[in-house]
Amino acid sequence: MITIKGLADLIAHNVAVTESKWYFVDKKFNNSLKDDILNSNYYIADDDEEEFDLEDNIKYKTFLDSATFQSIIYNKLEHHPNATTDQLLDAIIYYLKEDDFLD
C-alpha cells in the first residue's frame, strides 16, 4: 500500500497516474473539513486484491477515484490556470457535495 501525506502530495502524485485507482482515507476523515482534506493520509492499493481488502477494512473508506480527482483538478486549472491550493480545495469540496465541477 502506498501512503501519501496531505493534499499537495496527492496532487503531485496524481499527475503521473495513468490507471484509475481508488484513494482511501481513514474512517474518521470528514469530506467537508478543509483541514482533513489538506492534511490527511491518502492510501492507494498496490493491486486489486489489496484494494478489495481496503474496501472491506473498517479502518478505511473511499475518498475519490484517481480519474475523478484528476478531472476536478484539471477542470479548475483549465478555468483558472493560477488557482491556489485553497481554490483547488474548494473545487474538491464542491465536487464532493454537489457531484459537479466548480469552474
Side-chain angles (χ1 to χ4, degrees):
M1 174 172 45
I2 299 167
T3 301
I4 297 173
K5 299 184 183 297
L7 180 63
D9 287 347
L10 184 62
I11 291 170
H13 175 272
N14 193 268
V15 170
V17 171
T18 56
E19 74 176 275
S20 188
K21 296 254 186 184
W22 278 100
Y23 294 140
F24 292 86
V25 291
D26 294 315
K27 194 61 128 182
K28 63 182 179 173
F29 180 91
N30 185 328
N31 283 345
S32 60
L33 292 179
K34 287 185 175 188
D35 190 55
D36 278 11
I37 297 171
L38 279 173
N39 301 309
S40 290
N41 288 330
Y42 296 89
Y43 308 99
I44 305 170
D46 289 321
D47 54 38
D48 288 342
E49 186 175 325
E50 189 173 51
E51 187 170 297
F52 293 132
D53 290 343
L54 286 170
E55 287 175 356
D56 291 338
N57 191 320
I58 63 169
K59 292 173 30 179
Y60 305 104
K61 64 181 179 180
T62 56
F63 173 58
L64 287 167
D65 67 274
S66 57
T68 301
F69 183 82
Q70 197 171 64
S71 294
I72 294 166
I73 300 302
Y74 286 170
N75 180 70
K76 187 65 177 179
L77 292 173
E78 182 179 324
H79 291 91
H80 302 277
N82 297 318
T84 65
T85 300
D86 200 47
Q87 290 170 319
L88 296 174
L89 182 57
D90 288 341
I92 293 166
I93 292 171
Y94 184 84
Y95 182 87
L96 291 167
K97 287 182 179 178
E98 303 295 333
D99 195 25
D100 195 12
F101 295 101
L102 179 64
D103 295 339

